Amino acid sequence: SSGINAEYGEHWKHLVDTLCRARTALRERPGLYKDFFRALHYHLRETPQDFFVDIVSRDNFLVACLSELFSTLEEEEEGLERDLLESGRKFRGNLEEHFEWEFGGEDDQPVVVELT
């Protein structure tokens, strides 16, 4: 039934959001994240490209969540396992290629403007 699917979708979104924002878990549970990357990779391969776009806001919640996760991987690189970093980079590259998504980069950083 559509009610069950909608409920599942909300739980799935909450789980993905939680995993993408749990900064300390990257260091403490690297195996969980390697499995997360692998499972999400195969799950997304079976999903239409426009599935994650919110009809009302036209914002892609998954890009926002994963941008946060990929940013954390870059910021915390020194304290993370090499194979976790490699898995994250490979997953990001596959998403950018398959879905043509762009994740936060230097262009998304705040700009300081001096007023004279």
Side-chain angles (χ1 to χ4, degrees), residues 25-90:
L26 283 166
R27 281 187 303 280
E28 295 171 358
R29 305 286 307 263
L32 171 67
Y33 282 88
K34 289 182 275 187
D35 290 343
F36 174 62
F37 293 148
R38 188 171 26 261
L40 200 51
H41 169 80
Y42 289 109
H43 180 75
L44 293 175
R45 286 286 182 191
E46 301 299 321
T47 306
Q49 291 183 339
D50 62 350
F51 180 81
F52 297 101
V53 178
D54 183 336
I55 295 170
V56 176
S57 67
R58 304 301 294 168
D59 288 330
N60 186 317
F61 91 93
L62 192 56
V63 170
C65 291
L66 290 173
S67 290
E68 177 77 20
L69 178 58
F70 295 143
S71 175
T72 301
L73 284 171
E74 290 174 11
E75 292 169 13
E76 304 290 329
E77 182 175 355
E78 295 292 319
L80 298 175
E81 290 184 5
R82 285 278 156 232
D83 55 339
L84 172 61
L85 292 169
E86 185 59 34
S87 293
R89 288 182 186 121
K90 186 176 179 181

Side-chain angles (χ1 to χ4, degrees), residues 74-115:
E74 290 174 11
E75 292 169 13
E76 304 290 329
E77 182 175 355
E78 295 292 319
L80 298 175
E81 290 184 5
R82 285 278 156 232
D83 55 339
L84 172 61
L85 292 169
E86 185 59 34
S87 293
R89 288 182 186 121
K90 186 176 179 181
F91 179 54
R92 178 180 178 163
N94 286 332
L95 292 174
E96 289 172 340
E97 182 181 321
H98 181 72
F99 288 100
E100 298 180 4
W101 289 344
E102 292 184 20
F103 298 99
E106 290 183 21
D107 293 340
D108 295 334
Q109 299 300 314
V111 176
V112 176
V113 177
E114 284 189 37
L115 300 174

